[in-house]
Amino acid sequence: MSAPDGLYRALKKELDFPLAWGTSPIRDFDEWRHTARAKVEEHLLVDRQDETPYAPEYEERSEGDGYARELVTLSLTRHERVRGALLTPQGRPGPFPAVLLLHDHGARFDIGKEKFVRPWYDDKRLASARDWAGCHFSGRFVGDELARRGYVVLCLDAPGWGDRGPVAYEEQQALASTFYHLGSSLAGLMAREDARAAEFLAGLDRVDPRRIAAVGFSMGAYRAWQTAALTDAVAAVAAVCWMSGLKQLTVPGNNVLRGQSAYYMLHPGLSRFLDFPDVASIAAPRPMLLFDGGLDPLFPADGVRAAHERLRDVWRSRHAEERLHLKSWPDLGHVFTDRMQDEVLTWLDRVL
């Protein structure tokens, strides 16, 4: 295995991310954002011009605890209808600030939107969701907490989860391969859908389109900053437990090299131009919060530090370092606990 190992090391050494802000010859930041976004979109392998009407259909309405709950089914692409949970505050006038909640991977596919929003419509999923919330979110449903706090909340199933699955863990690689053979991309589809979901949220009468945040945990954190990179409909980002430099992640045993779940976050060829923090930087100078757990086995500390340094450089170059909130929780792992949630909620109240 020495020859492949040597080739891997040589390819890794050659990565210099020439389109990164500060490295790119482009010196006008708005021009750089436009160019970098176009490069990301090019590597999604999914048509940017899909303007299929959302045609939302609402069902399963319920009320209580100061907010209304409903399921909404809409078209994010021309190929498939997607179902999500939509929560709306009651007892106060709108339009409201809003949060696009982006769920994690976690190798748990029977629930998607239900990881963040308490499922009032399905007792079986409620049992699974409570188990998940207990493991990762201190027993809370983050979407319900946000709605009680006065935010409209939208959380949709990503491809393979909840009503769009469940896929089995070992099927992910075959699913991604099928997309690639068909000239498309599983990760690109998810990215396009998330951007369209943010734009759907911005178009709702009940929502203040200037006050929309993307919030996610784990894979959902990756989706959150990626969504802000792809659409200006997102005014702020809170991303918990997904940020690193690529080179620090590409070490033996890390998930990004093991296939399966990695294919939801893999845009072939993009790393020849941009690193992960470079993509997130397309959102600058909008407010961005990034948390990591000091005991998180998925994200090496050196990778988190390298990414945070890159992000600080970009926001500092925009004279907006105060809008970037980076924090490591030394006693926590790969979780989004009540303490972390409370700090995110306070931060959202301040920046939106």
Side-chain angles (χ1 to χ4, degrees):
M1 298 298 290
S2 59
D5 182 66
L7 177 59
Y8 145 76
R9 293 181 185 278
L11 289 171
K12 181 176 176 179
K13 187 176 181 179
E14 288 177 359
L15 288 179
D16 58 2
F17 312 114
L19 192 52
W21 175 249
T23 302
S24 166
I26 301 172
R27 291 292 177 258
D28 179 82
F29 191 75
D30 288 340
E31 181 184 353
W32 174 80
R33 287 185 69 243
H34 177 80
T35 302
R37 178 179 285 178
K39 184 60 68 175
V40 175
E41 290 177 335
E42 173 188 338
H43 286 79
L44 299 185
L45 308 181
V46 176
D47 185 9
R48 182 178 182 271
Q49 303 305 318
D50 192 334
E51 297 181 357
T52 302
Y54 293 111
E57 297 178 315
Y58 301 92
E59 59 180 330
E60 298 287 347
R61 184 178 174 88
S62 173
E63 298 180 0
D65 297 324
Y67 58 99
R69 314 164 187 85
E70 53 195 332
L71 292 175
V72 58
T73 303
L74 63 154
S75 296
L76 296 177
T77 67
R78 62 184 178 276
H79 300 296
E80 187 180 10
R81 301 278 285 169
V82 180
R83 192 159 77 152
L86 181 64
L87 310 180
T88 305
Q90 292 183 311
R92 65 191 85 179
F96 303 99
V99 170
L100 176 65
L101 267 182
L102 299 156
H103 70 72
D104 58 77
H105 186 292
R108 180 74 180 260
F109 297 95
D110 60 319
I111 50 175
K113 57 189 175 295
E114 296 86 4
K115 293 180 176 184
F116 269 146
V117 176
R118 184 182 184 276
W120 66 95
Y121 45 84
D122 187 317
D123 289 341
K124 183 177 180 181
R125 291 189 186 183
L126 177 58
S128 294
R130 280 175 170 160
D131 177 64
W132 197 254
C135 288
H136 300 284
F137 307 138
S138 299
R140 287 182 176 178
F141 287 100
V142 177
D144 297 71
E145 291 292 326
L146 283 161
R148 277 191 284 268
R149 191 100 169 204
Y151 292 88
V152 171
V153 175
L154 176 65
C155 190
L156 298 151
D157 291 323
W161 279 268
D163 292 319
R164 305 179 73 185
V167 301
Y169 186 84
E170 62 276 7
E171 293 173 345
Q172 296 173 94
Q173 199 150 301
L175 182 61
S177 177
T178 299
F179 271 81
Y180 290 144
H181 279 297
L182 296 174
S184 190
S185 164
L186 179 59
L189 173 65
M190 186 169 70
R192 288 283 187 222
E193 288 188 350
D194 290 344
R196 283 265 289 170
E199 289 157 7
F200 167 76
L201 195 53
L204 292 177
D205 290 342
R206 69 191 80 177
V207 169
D208 182 343
R210 301 164 300 177
R211 302 169 66 200
I212 296 173
V215 177
F217 164 67
S218 191
M219 181 186 77
Y222 172 98
R223 296 167 66 193
W225 51 255
Q226 177 177 255
T227 301
L230 291 172
T231 176
D232 293 336
V234 173
V237 174
V240 179
C241 291
W242 211 116
M243 177 50 73
S244 175
L246 173 62
K247 288 187 176 183
Q248 293 80 15
L249 280 186
T250 49
V251 294
N254 191 278
N255 275 3
V256 300
L257 300 185
R258 294 170 61 190
Q260 300 298 359
S261 63
Y263 283 99
Y264 278 98
M265 293 157 280
L266 174 60
H267 305 303
L270 183 57
S271 60
R272 294 174 60 196
F273 303 93
L274 297 162
D275 198 354
F276 296 126
D278 303 324
V279 175
S281 294
I282 297 170
R286 283 171 278 169
M288 183 175 289
L289 175 152
L290 294 168
F291 285 168
D292 74 281
L295 304 178
D296 190 338
L298 299 179
F299 294 93
D302 60 341
V304 174
R305 283 194 300 270
H308 285 186
E309 288 171 9
R310 286 289 305 124
L311 292 162
R312 284 193 187 94
D313 287 344
V314 177
W315 263 257
R316 188 181 298 118
S317 77
R318 301 297 90 212
H319 308 289
E321 194 172 6
E322 75 283 353
R323 296 185 182 180
L324 185 65
H325 185 33
L326 307 175
K327 181 173 180 177
S328 179
W329 299 72
D331 59 328
L332 298 177
H334 198 72
V335 291
F336 187 15
T337 65
D338 50 3
R339 286 188 290 147
M340 302 166 93
Q341 293 167 40
D342 289 343
E343 192 161 321
V344 167
L345 287 164
T346 299
W347 182 81
L348 288 173
D349 289 344
R350 178 168 57 84
V351 301
L352 287 182

